[in-house]
Amino acid sequence: MTTDLPLFEQGRHLLSVSQFDRENLRTLFDLADAVDPIAKREAVCTVLDGAMLCSLFFEPSTRTRLSFESAFQRLGGEVTTTTGFTFSSMAKGESIADTSRVVSGYSDVLVVRHPDEGSVARFAAAAMVPVINAGDGAGEHPSQALLDVYTLGKELAARGKEVDGCRIAILGDLKYGRTVHSLMKLMSLHDDVTFTLFSPPGLRLPLEVEQYVTARRHTVQVMDTVVDAVRGADVIYATRVQRERMTDEMSQADARGDLLNWSMLAEADNLGAILMHPLPRDSRPDAYDLSGDVDDLPGLAIFHQTDNGVNVRMAIFLTALGVSLEAVRLTSKQRPWKATLRP
Ligand code: ASP
């Protein structure tokens, strides 16, 4: 992870969660709260009228791309997008630097996802406009961590708790799961967090992430079983095995059945925990992910995360482009219609 990046503010790229301290994190979350009526489509806003987002996704995505694009459009901006290598000039051998320079001539901000760690920073180095990292290989996924901590704060507050002092179990592919790396680092801005970790053999958390967290005086406990990891946790964050980043041999190893299901939570006496997941959840048989049999539990927060992603990504754009809340208010109006389904 790059540690010498400037704090995230107007005119800056967003490449890593290391660009946050408690203060600019709070400012971003306050903005995310303030745009809620626009995110929920109760109000219409045109503050980004004439602005262009270019989203470049060289890896599969549903939520991240659509929520970034929705966020920009809800603020009144336009979006142009390209997905996959096949339909971009990279298939003809164009370099990251050339692609970035060309595309940033067409847009006011770029959102980029790419399979290689560090690649989005290379886009940023050649760009003329702010670049937002939407996931660089097994590296980082800062916007996901921001929406995770935003959601976590709200879920804990509803239970009279805070991120400070909380106990979070993180399960699954901790080696290749970039959302875990970014989440643990961002949570480290808080005080006295206990992380209880469980992963299949071979998919353990990189030492660098563990050291980052423990150097900030948080506790990391590596557990032998899922049940031990989730026992007593306020929050459980489950992740998918990132098979696309592994050789076939590794992808078959030790990861079968459910990673976490209702019975395991019952055994740990923790059916009330907050349940989070960055999604997608792999729902194929034997995929070794969060089972669907937990979906009726009261703490299920996975769709709160996806909804909150729009607010947080709106706040990211407003910050990068230097748009004030006052400008947002002056260009917003109530929407005279509502999309509902009759029962
Ligand atoms: N959507 C997340 C990511 O892009 C998590 C995942 O794919 O498992 O990293």
Side-chain angles (χ1 to χ4, degrees), residues 92-111:
K92 301 179 188 170
E94 188 170 57
S95 68
I96 284 183
D98 282 1
T99 303
S100 181
R101 167 62 186 82
V102 169
V103 175
S104 60
Y106 305 151
S107 39
D108 300 287
V109 57
L110 307 185
V111 172

Side-chain angles (χ1 to χ4, degrees), residues 57 59-64 113 134-138 140-141 144 173 176-180 237-245 277-282 289 313:
F57 277 71
E59 263 194 345
S61 172
T62 304
R63 270 151 298 278
T64 305
R113 170 172 288 188
D136 61 322
E140 278 219 40
H141 195 340
Q144 177 73 46
D173 183 348
Y176 296 105
R178 57 192 172 197
T179 68
V180 169
Y237 189 93
T239 63
R240 174 180 74 85
V241 179
Q242 310 276 303
R243 293 196 159 83
E244 68 274 30
R245 307 204 191 285
H277 191 300
L279 300 183
R281 170 167 52 172
D282 191 340
D289 205 333
R313 288 174 171 129

Side-chain angles (χ1 to χ4, degrees), residues 16-93:
S16 164
V17 290
S18 68
Q19 294 174 261
F20 286 86
D21 57 18
R22 284 288 281 255
E23 200 183 323
N24 70 341
L25 188 67
R26 188 66 264 156
T27 306
L28 189 95
F29 288 175
D30 287 346
L31 255 181
D33 284 342
V35 296
D36 195 53
I38 307 167
K40 295 227 164 38
R41 298 184 305 285
E42 293 156 9
V44 180
C45 176
T46 55
V47 75
L48 292 187
D49 189 17
M52 179 66 81
L53 160 69
C54 183
S55 70
L56 298 162
F57 277 71
F58 300 105
E59 263 194 345
S61 172
T62 304
R63 270 151 298 278
T64 305
R65 185 168 70 81
L66 293 184
S67 68
F68 265 121
E69 295 181 2
S70 302
F72 205 76
Q73 284 165 332
R74 281 179 205 170
L75 291 167
E78 285 174 68
V79 176
T80 177
T81 188
T82 180
T83 52
F85 287 100
T86 325
F87 296 107
S88 86
S89 281
M90 286 197 168
K92 301 179 188 170

Side-chain angles (χ1 to χ4, degrees), residues 119-136:
S119 53
V120 182
R122 283 160 52 215
F123 267 93
M128 303 184 295
V129 296
V131 172
I132 313 295
N133 181 2
D136 61 322

